[in-house]
Each structure stands twice: as structure tokens, then as C-alpha cells.
Amino acid sequence: FVPSSRGGGSASSDFKGFTLLMPAVSVGNVGQLATDLVISTLNMTKVGYFYTDCLVPMVGNNPYATAEENSMELSINAEVYSLPSKKLVVLQIRSPFIKNKYRPFCQTLLSWVKSSKCARVVLLSSSHAYQRDDEQLLGTPLRYLLTPDLEKAVGGLMQELNWKEMEKVAAYPGINDTEKVLHIPGGGITKLLFTESCSKGIQMAVLLKFCSEGDNIPDAFALVNYLNEWLQLVKSEVNTSSQWKIPSSWRLLFGNGLPPALF
């Protein structure tokens, strides 16, 4: 983690007791879109970036521009935003992983989580809807996972919310249905990061949605509302799309359209 000069120097790198929210680069980019909504709605301050050689290099304009003056600010592939009033720090990832770099990234990330004294990590993810088993087809398309250390702290709350835990599936369907494994197809680093957190004693929650590639904006709203049920980032009686502020960059999600001069 490299603090920015505008983020408040050394104070910006101390996240003791904070919740770290981040996306997995997964099917439909749902986690990244949901993270965009959190940063934009809470008007979070950029406090630095996460330097890594595990992501495809990328640079672009400020995705959360609110006026012409700040629209020319540059953003890169992994940036950190903070909101001390809610004890929330967000790592937004904007580019895919380089092949065979999942594990080094997870190790670097989790060592930062420990050194920065973050209390817990919440990973927003997604998984291929078409690869669900029969049990996963029932009810809500939203699921959660908790590491053993976080289960002790918030497991009861998840039961109160009537959330469904991500089911384990048969390791060898049709041959041996008794051996069950965690399977998150299309989830990117989700499974690796979760299992590493379990073994390292890190408190981590995974919130994910089954979805398909396409217009994944509705999936992002569903996932961020799911997150809000637990963390209450935005106060509301009923979770709706209107309580979230759509960032300016979303106008370009599907391109600019055909230039009128062509007609």
C-alpha cells in the first residue's frame, strides 16, 4: 500500500479496526460495480493505491468525477479509499489478473491486511449461474461465506438475516456424492483468498451473487443491497436502487453509441 500525499500521510495507512471492502474480479464484474456504488455514494476519499505486478497495468480518468475540475484526475488498476467515520476502507480493483499471479496477490494482500490491523475483510464476488447444482437453484441467488474466526463474531447475525450460506457441492458428481467441496466457478480469486484467510486466522466474509455475463448493473445493485443489510452503510427502511449514487463512469459501460454524424 502506497499512501497518497493528499490522503493525510501516515494516518491514511493505519486502518486499525476498519473493515476492508474489496471486489473479486469475477463473472460480470459484479463485485467491482457494487464497490463503485459504495465509493460513489459515500463520497469516499482516495488515500493511496495498492502497488502490485499481479494486475494488468491500466490508467484512466477519474471514474467518480463530479465536475470538470476533478474529471481529469488519473486512476489506476488498484486504488484505496477511506471513510474513517464508518471505519471503512475500500480497495477497488479495475483490471484483470495476470496469469499465474493469483497466489502472490493473495499473499501480498493478506500481509497488508495484517500489517494495517484491519479488523475484517469483506469480499464482493459472483459466480456462474449456469453452473449451479440443484440445491443452489432454490431460493435467493445471493450467498455468503464466513471464515471460522468471523463466524464466531457474526454467525448469529447471518442467521437472523435469513441469509443462505454458500453450499458445498459433490467433488465427483454421480460417482461419490458424499465428498463435498467449495466450488465457485467464475469467482476469480474468491476461493483462494477465502481458504488462505481461513488458514491464516483472518476474519473474512464473502458475499456473492449467481449471475451471467451481460448487463450486470441489476446484479450490482442486488449485491450492494445485500451488503447493506449487514453493514448498514446507507440508512434505509427498504433496500432500493435509488439510495445509491451511480458514478459518472457508468455512462460509458456499453460505449458511447454511434456518432450522429454517421446518419
Side-chain angles (χ1 to χ4, degrees), residues 10-250:
S10 61
S12 64
S13 58
D14 180 17
F15 302 118
K16 187 175 182 179
F18 278 52
T19 294
L20 171 63
L21 178 69
M22 62 173 289
V25 182
S26 52
V27 55
N29 304 312
V30 175
Q32 292 156 291
L33 292 170
T35 304
D36 263 354
L37 288 169
V38 172
I39 296 169
S40 179
T41 303
L42 300 180
N43 196 23
M44 297 183 73
T45 304
K46 181 159 64 174
V47 293
Y49 60 93
F50 195 70
Y51 179 75
T52 175
D53 62 355
C54 301
L55 295 166
V56 173
M58 170 245 124
V59 67
N61 281 27
N62 179 6
Y64 313 115
T66 53
E68 198 170 335
E69 298 82 67
N70 64 6
S71 65
M72 302 308 286
E73 292 174 10
L74 294 181
S75 63
I76 59 170
N77 55 8
E79 294 186 319
V80 179
Y81 298 79
S82 176
L83 188 62
S85 64
K86 289 190 180 287
K87 288 256 179 186
L88 182 69
V89 58
V90 173
L91 169 63
Q92 176 62 303
I93 299 173
R94 298 196 178 94
S95 69
F97 284 86
I98 292 169
K99 192 177 180 182
N100 299 326
K101 290 283 191 177
Y102 276 17
R103 194 168 292 278
F105 178 83
C106 290
Q107 290 167 348
T108 306
L109 176 76
L110 294 179
S111 66
W112 174 54
V113 168
K114 286 199 166 184
S115 65
S116 63
K117 301 184 177 70
C118 284
R120 60 190 176 188
V121 183
V122 179
L123 183 69
L124 301 181
S125 185
S126 50
S127 184
H128 284 301
Y130 73 89
Q131 287 193 254
R132 287 175 290 178
D133 71 358
D134 291 350
E135 191 181 359
Q136 292 171 336
L137 288 167
L138 301 171
T140 174
L142 295 156
R143 294 290 188 278
Y144 78 93
L145 284 166
L146 300 176
T147 59
D149 287 76
L150 189 56
E151 175 81 46
K152 294 171 192 169
V154 301
L157 175 61
M158 302 311 186
Q159 301 297 324
E160 289 175 29
L161 291 171
N162 290 320
W163 281 15
K164 284 188 81 169
E165 191 170 2
M166 183 69 170
E167 301 90 345
K168 290 188 174 181
V169 299
Y172 307 102
I175 302 170
N176 179 4
D177 290 335
T178 56
E179 188 181 340
K180 303 274 189 175
V181 294
L182 184 62
H183 187 48
I184 309 175
I189 64 167
T190 305
K191 183 179 175 181
L192 176 61
L193 197 55
F194 179 74
T195 52
E196 288 285 311
S197 297
C198 288
S199 63
K200 293 181 188 297
I202 288 171
Q203 294 194 13
M204 172 179 276
V206 175
L207 308 188
L208 67 80
K209 185 177 188 298
F210 293 117
C211 65
S212 304
E213 292 278 3
D215 179 358
N216 295 102
I217 290 174
D219 299 310
F221 278 118
L223 187 59
V224 80
N225 284 332
Y226 189 52
L227 170 74
N228 198 52
E229 281 182 44
W230 172 27
L231 295 186
Q232 296 291 301
L233 299 174
V234 178
K235 292 290 181 191
S236 69
E237 302 208 355
V238 181
N239 282 321
T240 62
S241 304
S242 59
Q243 68 198 4
W244 302 101
K245 181 184 173 188
I246 294 175
S248 54
S249 54
W250 280 26

